[in-house]
Amino acid sequence: MKHIALALTLALLSGCAAMSDDSDTSMPANTPGAGAIKPTNGKEAQMLIAQSQTSGDIDAMVYAYTQALAFREFDTTDIYLNIARLERQRNNNSRAEQAYRNVLQKDKNQQQAKEGLALLLIDMKRHNEAETLLKEVIAADAARLGQAAATPENCVTDSSSPWRSYNGLGLLADMMEQGSAARAYYQCALQVQPGLAMLHTNLGFSYYLQGEYPQAERAMLRAVNQQPEYERGWSNLGLLYYRWGRHSEALMALRKIMPQAEALNDLGYIAMMEGEYEIAQSFFQRAIDASPRYYPKAVENLNQAKTMQSASNR
């Protein structure tokens, strides 16, 4: 489903990215579509970077930053971090990983690269490596703040603390069905970013996973109250209300981010996945009736629900 993602949100340094099939881990010497300009000195390289940023062309920016690596005027750490960020946007996860590792090869304690790499590894389903790196990041932050040990239940943070790392560890803990630890990590992240709707939503979804619906509702309502346009917050709230048996409120939550027909179709899909085929068919039919024109997806879902109900009755 487009809106019912049923997932926690991982805040990456450069935004979420899908897995890439790109297996080339070397830094590209050229980038298709970036142009043929090759700088001969640092000033020209800086001009190329500025021009690529103005254009907004990601391929051109990767090319420009890669060319800048040849000149001493540039901090290679900054260059590789920018390349990693852009490669994430291009879904070139292997190249992003290599860029982060190039930074860490120069300085194994570069925390921004370590955190960025860890969050990337979560997307790449390499959870054990990610967890190790994230714990190193929060341990370093604890040491910076004079804390002997970094624990999710007793974290000490300030405005510079790595909230993305705490959020990532919360996500991993929820994946391992360690709900108490996950919520403690989210609370640590919220100490740093108390107004971030995504973190409140993750906390609420963690409560939801444990069947603690009132706590989940409170956290999710905080999220949408702080950021009324936050789609993930409303979709997760709709899911929560549906599972809680509060169908009319589920519909109202989804209506915040989509038309009536789509909201009814999404609720029907949830019901169908729950094996509640008659309820699903009712929602799908209401979606068809509410749509101002032919709604093929709702019709398809209605037929699928009927087929699944017939199969379950055999």
Side-chain angles (χ1 to χ4, degrees):
M1 301 299 296
K2 177 180 178 182
H3 295 283
I4 304 297
L6 315 189
L8 298 158
T9 307
L10 178 64
L12 301 172
L13 293 175
S14 58
C16 293
M19 284 288 292
S20 170
D21 293 329
D22 182 7
S23 59
D24 179 7
T25 59
S26 62
M27 288 293 102
N30 205 333
T31 304
I37 299 174
K38 189 174 181 64
T40 59
N41 55 55
K43 184 176 180 179
E44 290 179 0
Q46 185 60 59
M47 290 178 60
L48 187 62
I49 290 173
Q51 290 170 357
S52 69
Q53 291 173 335
T54 300
S55 73
D57 185 326
I58 294 179
D59 289 347
M61 284 188 276
V62 171
Y63 174 81
Y65 280 117
T66 302
Q67 292 300 311
L69 289 168
F71 304 102
R72 294 181 179 179
E73 292 94 326
F74 296 93
D75 183 336
T76 57
T77 293
D78 289 341
I79 293 295
Y80 278 124
L81 287 174
N82 278 305
I83 290 173
R85 172 178 55 83
L86 293 165
E87 293 291 14
R88 293 298 313 277
Q89 293 181 36
R90 296 202 301 177
N91 295 339
N92 289 336
N93 285 354
S94 58
R95 286 181 176 172
E97 178 182 358
Q98 185 60 47
Y100 283 130
R101 293 197 184 281
N102 285 343
V103 175
L104 294 173
Q105 185 175 10
K106 177 182 176 182
D107 178 4
K108 65 180 181 180
N109 294 317
Q110 216 289 338
Q111 299 304 310
Q112 186 178 349
K114 189 176 290 187
E115 181 180 65
L117 176 58
L119 298 176
L120 170 64
L121 292 174
I122 293 178
D123 266 8
M124 298 173 75
K125 313 301 181 187
R126 291 157 61 181
H127 296 160
N128 290 337
E129 295 175 77
E131 182 180 23
T132 297
L133 290 172
L134 291 175
K135 287 185 175 180
E136 289 178 3
V137 172
I138 65 169
D141 190 63
R144 177 182 68 85
L145 295 171
Q147 187 180 10
T151 63
E153 296 78 16
N154 188 33
C155 58
V156 174
T157 63
D158 65 11
S159 61
S160 299
S161 291
W163 63 269
R164 294 177 180 84
S165 292
Y166 282 113
N167 181 61
L169 286 167
L171 174 66
L172 291 172
D174 267 327
M175 289 179 180
M176 295 183 286
E177 299 182 355
Q178 298 172 358
S180 296
R183 291 188 287 279
Y185 281 126
Y186 295 136
Q187 293 287 6
C188 291
L190 283 165
Q191 289 180 18
V192 187
Q193 292 285 345
L196 195 58
M198 178 268 291
L199 293 175
H200 289 288
T201 299
N202 282 359
L203 176 62
F205 200 86
S206 184
Y207 278 121
Y208 161 81
L209 291 173
Q210 298 296 312
E212 299 180 33
Y213 293 167
Q215 296 93 323
E217 181 186 27
R218 283 195 292 271
M220 291 181 186
L221 285 174
R222 281 192 212 102
V224 296
N225 286 334
Q226 290 176 341
Q227 189 178 338
E229 71 279 8
Y230 186 48
E231 291 192 8
R232 180 63 60 81
W234 287 113
S235 63
N236 281 356
L237 191 58
L239 172 65
L240 167 67
Y241 282 144
Y242 182 87
R243 297 278 170 83
W244 205 349
R246 297 161 63 177
H247 292 181
S248 61
E249 289 167 278
L251 179 60
M252 286 191 291
L254 295 183
R255 285 287 286 112
K256 297 287 187 179
I257 56 173
M258 64 184 80
Q260 176 89 352
E262 289 184 28
L264 289 165
N265 182 67
D266 279 7
L267 288 176
Y269 189 85
I270 296 172
M272 184 168 65
M273 294 300 98
E274 290 288 295
E276 299 172 344
Y277 302 121
E278 290 186 6
I279 295 175
Q281 290 174 53
S282 175
F283 278 124
F284 291 138
Q285 188 60 59
R286 289 172 63 189
I288 294 167
D289 295 339
S291 179
R293 51 185 172 273
Y294 182 67
Y295 195 172
K297 188 61 180 178
V299 173
E300 178 186 338
N301 285 338
L302 176 60
N303 292 332
Q304 184 179 358
K306 290 179 178 178
T307 299
M308 294 173 72
Q309 183 179 28
S310 297
S312 68
N313 290 334
R314 291 174 186 168

